[in-house]
Amino acid sequence: MTYPNTLIFVDLTSDDPAAAGEFYAAVFGWENDPRPKGVFHRMVPGQNFLNPDKSQSQIGNLHLGIHNAANARPHPDPEGVAPRQVAETGRKARIWVMVSDDDSVERILGEAVKRGAEILWRNHFWAEFNGFNDAFRDPWGNEIILWGKGGDSPQVPDDYTRE
């Protein structure tokens, strides 16, 4: 078998990439790297994945892009192609974010809501992947799932939904 193709980037759509970049910088503490501002923003989570002993590994964190719905770059035609707006109905991209040990779901959701996000659900445990999760929809319709590992013997509070 050959070496598998590697996922290098995921983009979210926005009709205002500059505002979306500011949103994710405030909510998650990520670096907002406009390339160029308002056209494409690369969100840089910073640092590397952690080893079990909490030291940084050699593996850098994945980056997230935010492209402009009016003219998603790159594209061979400098004018881009239709559609040129954020999708209004149906499912959109979902991204999963591991909540850092030195952050909290409450802080993240508070910042997100303050900036126009809508909470989709709170306090859920998914046994199949041993994780606690909460979710919100950003102002552009993208769904963000906040994830926390359950650990070896997860203690699921009584008020949590489960699957």
Side-chain angles (χ1 to χ4, degrees):
M1 179 175 170
T2 62
Y3 191 79
N5 297 305
T6 303
L7 175 67
I8 60 167
F9 226 81
V10 174
D11 283 354
L12 296 178
T13 301
S14 172
D15 56 6
D16 189 347
E22 292 168 9
F23 175 91
Y24 284 102
V27 170
F28 290 116
W30 295 342
E31 177 187 343
N32 178 12
D33 183 20
R35 311 224 9 208
K37 185 175 183 177
V39 175
F40 185 86
H41 286 242
R42 179 178 70 160
M43 303 310 298
V44 184
Q47 302 191 17
N48 295 334
F49 284 101
L50 297 178
N51 291 314
D53 68 0
K54 303 293 185 195
S55 64
Q56 287 196 39
S57 73
Q58 298 291 325
I59 304 166
N61 280 321
L62 304 174
H63 295 171
L64 175 74
I66 301 172
H67 70 267
N68 192 333
N71 189 352
R73 309 307 312 154
H75 191 277
D77 181 347
E79 301 302 316
V81 295
R84 296 182 182 278
Q85 72 278 348
V86 174
E88 296 295 324
T89 61
R91 289 279 178 204
K92 290 192 181 183
R94 295 187 341 160
I95 65 168
W96 302 60
V97 176
M98 180 74 67
V99 177
S100 174
D101 290 340
D102 62 356
D103 203 349
S104 72
V105 168
E106 289 72 24
R107 188 206 64 78
I108 292 168
L109 289 175
E111 289 295 326
V113 168
K114 183 167 67 175
R115 289 167 171 73
E118 170 193 0
I119 292 178
L120 297 175
W121 71 80
R122 293 291 320 265
N123 304 332
H124 183 68
F125 181 73
W126 195 3
E128 181 70 23
F129 292 98
N130 190 23
F132 298 95
N133 55 89
D134 302 81
F136 67 87
R137 182 177 294 119
D138 74 13
W140 302 275
N142 301 296
E143 294 181 12
I144 311 304
I145 300 168
L146 305 176
W147 193 262
K149 292 180 182 177
D152 291 336
S153 297
Q155 301 301 306
V156 183
D158 291 338
D159 64 335
Y160 273 54
T161 55
R162 305 159 193 246
E163 67 179 287

